[in-house]
Amino acid sequence: MDKDLHSLIRAAASRGRCTTVNQLVEVVSRETGLPRSWVAYEVYLMWKRGELNIEHEPLENAVMFLASVDGVWYWVTLAITLASLTVVMLVKGGPLMPIRYLLGAVSVLFMPGYSIVEALYPRGDELAPLERLALSIGLSLAVVPLVGLILNYTPWGIRLIPIVVSNTALTIALLTVAALRKARYASTPRDCFT
């Protein structure tokens, strides 16, 4: 049954030059009599295994990219970065100190490297998730001391507030560069099925 369904999905995808996923699921569901949800799930599984290449319609600009589902990662990482800044600046003691330590560690040991990795590899399929995690931590451990070195030669020096603000500013700048690169990649026209 699965092999028949897979061959029907492949045949339906190859018939039209630029068929949408919704149209593909509708056609195969009509031909087989199976529920749309089953066919959609099989299309998804085929895409995950690399048996079917599904491309999306290009977005017109970066604002549309950030307002779409593809831009959610930007808003989540931006929120975590700003929450880290807020908690580190406002919490000085008490029961919220573990949250300060956790968010402070994330903002120093992960976020700068993560933003660099996202800026360098905007497609998302160039690295495995474990490679992204390792690179994010490694690059953070390399970049944060450089920020401290630069701050050492400024009038503000190496103190908590300048370090937190400069680390947050660097992370936000790199996240914005990554979002723009991802939006540019998403706006390149491609065929829907290959």
Side-chain angles (χ1 to χ4, degrees):
M1 171 80 179
D2 281 345
K3 294 189 191 247
D4 294 336
L5 182 59
H6 290 185
S7 61
L8 281 171
I9 291 171
R10 276 192 212 93
S14 64
R15 270 186 241 139
R17 181 166 188 284
C18 194
T19 307
T20 65
V21 174
N22 193 27
Q23 291 169 344
L24 174 68
V25 169
E26 181 65 35
V27 166
V28 174
S29 177
R30 225 176 313 126
E31 288 177 2
T32 60
L34 293 172
R36 288 174 45 87
S37 58
W38 287 9
V39 176
Y41 183 68
E42 286 301 320
V43 168
Y44 172 74
L45 289 178
M46 288 175 69
W47 172 71
K48 284 302 272 185
R49 288 190 298 257
E51 298 172 13
L52 185 66
N53 190 8
I54 300 174
E55 302 291 343
H56 53 80
E57 288 293 317
L59 298 171
E60 292 179 14
N61 59 29
V63 174
M64 286 181 63
F65 173 78
L66 291 175
S68 71
V69 175
D70 294 332
V72 170
W73 70 271
Y74 177 75
W75 299 112
V76 169
T77 53
L78 187 65
I80 291 170
T81 303
L82 293 176
S84 299
L85 173 70
T86 305
V87 168
V88 168
M89 298 295 271
L90 296 179
V91 174
K92 302 296 181 196
L96 296 177
M97 283 303 283
I99 295 173
R100 179 183 178 184
Y101 293 148
L102 177 69
L103 287 176
V106 167
S107 71
V108 170
L109 298 175
F110 181 72
M111 285 305 202
Y114 174 74
S115 58
I116 292 171
V117 169
E118 290 297 318
L120 290 176
Y121 302 103
R123 281 193 355 220
D125 60 353
E126 303 97 344
L127 298 174
L130 188 59
E131 292 172 329
R132 279 186 179 271
L133 176 66
L135 255 169
S136 298
I137 293 170
L139 286 172
S140 291
L141 292 174
V143 167
V144 171
L146 291 176
V147 171
L149 181 66
I150 292 169
L151 280 175
N152 188 42
Y153 293 106
T154 65
W156 304 291
I158 302 176
R159 291 189 311 245
L160 177 66
I161 292 175
I163 288 173
V164 171
V165 169
S166 61
N167 191 33
T168 302
L170 175 69
T171 302
I172 291 172
L174 289 169
L175 283 174
T176 305
V177 168
L180 292 175
R181 291 199 65 202
K182 284 177 180 279
R184 188 178 318 133
Y185 175 73
S187 67
T188 56
R190 295 180 291 273
D191 291 337
C192 291
F193 289 102
T194 56

